[in-house]
Amino acid sequence: MALSVRDCSFAYRRRPPLFSGFNVEFEVGRTVLLGPNGAGKSTLLALCGGVMRQGGGTIALNGRSRTTSSNYRERVAWLPQTVSVFPGLTVREQVVYYGWLKGMTAAAAKLRADEALELVRLTSSASRKARELSGGQLRRLGIAGALVQKADAILLDEPFAGLDPSQRDTLSTILRGLPEETVLVASTHQIEDLSSLYARTVVLDSGTVRFDGTTEKFLQYGRGSSDRARAAYASFVGVEE
């Protein structure tokens, strides 16, 4: 199982190309996508999630092309930085709605909703209005929406942004508990727990992959520093102010 991007090109209107002849492949397991603001992380995840269209090249999951496969978007779940909820829906109904949007029947989504909520520790909030959830709970609700469809690939755009330490710990535990056969890619600026959470690290800067390898190898670039992750990151893109 792999999510592959081959010879991809993309440009925002009236701007220089962000990606040109871009290649990367995300395999089964947990991968962190690092890079400064404007590096192309969010755009890449949105392209892979099927919510934006590349100018050229191919994006495919296990050989199923994003542009030609009818069920590509059913197999790939994308969680943006801001999780939106439908007014009036309960937490359980919101998860069912996520599944329906991805092509599931309402009956199938209802059968899976409670299981997905249990995985993200929101069972006790299932009957609450989704709009009443805290920021951390909303992130977990978004992940439940990905799990309800049994997606083969889950793409999380800055899932830890704005969360306090306790909420980050809870979300980290949930990510570690995802099915082992899942392709998980998360973009983040939170690099404190790279080695325990992600097996692979990809560093993106200005639409170019600067590093792609195991997290253990990545951290070797920060060897000798008291903060190996930050030192390794700085060796590829510099430290953001």
Side-chain angles (χ1 to χ4, degrees):
M1 182 71 66
L3 178 60
S4 60
V5 180
R6 293 284 177 265
D7 199 27
C8 180
S9 61
F10 178 83
Y12 287 101
R13 189 176 182 183
R14 298 175 182 173
R15 295 184 185 179
L18 177 58
F19 296 118
S20 180
F22 182 83
N23 296 278
V24 71
E25 184 168 281
F26 300 112
E27 300 175 343
V28 167
R30 298 190 298 268
T31 298
V32 62
L33 184 61
L34 300 177
N37 292 330
K41 304 188 300 299
S42 295
T43 301
L44 176 60
L45 294 185
L47 288 168
C48 290
V51 295
M52 297 174 67
R53 183 178 293 272
Q54 75 269 25
T58 60
I59 299 175
L61 176 67
N62 216 29
R64 297 173 178 170
S65 170
R66 191 193 79 81
T67 53
T68 61
S69 175
S70 60
N71 68 344
Y72 175 92
R73 289 191 65 187
E74 295 177 24
R75 310 313 307 167
V76 179
W78 169 74
L79 181 65
Q81 293 187 37
T82 302
V83 178
S84 299
V85 296
F86 199 87
L89 293 187
T90 65
V91 169
R92 181 184 289 108
E93 290 169 341
Q94 184 71 41
V95 174
V96 173
Y97 182 63
Y98 283 142
W100 179 79
L101 287 176
K102 286 294 186 174
M104 299 178 69
T105 65
K110 286 178 181 177
L111 288 174
R112 281 280 298 161
D114 285 338
E115 181 180 345
L117 288 172
E118 183 177 359
L119 288 171
V120 300
R121 303 181 181 182
L122 281 177
T123 299
S124 61
S125 299
S127 298
R128 291 177 59 191
K129 296 297 184 183
R131 58 180 171 77
E132 297 175 354
L133 297 182
S134 67
Q137 290 172 324
L138 280 175
R139 301 293 170 84
R140 287 149 56 191
L141 176 61
I143 295 174
L147 296 175
V148 73
Q149 68 187 87
K150 291 190 175 180
D152 295 318
I154 299 177
L155 314 174
L156 309 177
D157 192 4
E158 295 286 354
F160 294 95
L163 302 187
D164 62 35
S166 176
Q167 292 170 331
R168 289 202 300 269
D169 288 344
T170 297
L171 184 53
S172 293
T173 300
I174 290 169
L175 297 186
R176 291 188 184 96
L178 292 179
E180 293 183 0
E181 64 272 17
T182 302
V183 177
L184 172 69
V185 185
S187 70
T188 184
H189 285 88
Q190 303 290 338
I191 59 177
E192 294 84 359
D193 57 354
L194 291 188
S195 59
S196 64
L197 187 54
Y198 305 103
R200 180 179 170 202
T201 296
V202 174
V203 180
L204 187 65
D205 188 22
S206 301
T208 301
V209 173
R210 305 297 185 187
F211 176 87
D212 183 356
T214 66
T215 298
E216 180 181 3
K217 183 177 180 180
F218 171 74
L219 292 174
Q220 289 177 1
Y221 285 89
R223 191 166 43 200
S225 171
S226 59
D227 189 341
R228 290 200 303 157
R230 186 168 297 279
Y233 177 78
S235 71
F236 291 102
V237 300
V239 178
E240 297 175 87
E241 298 296 333

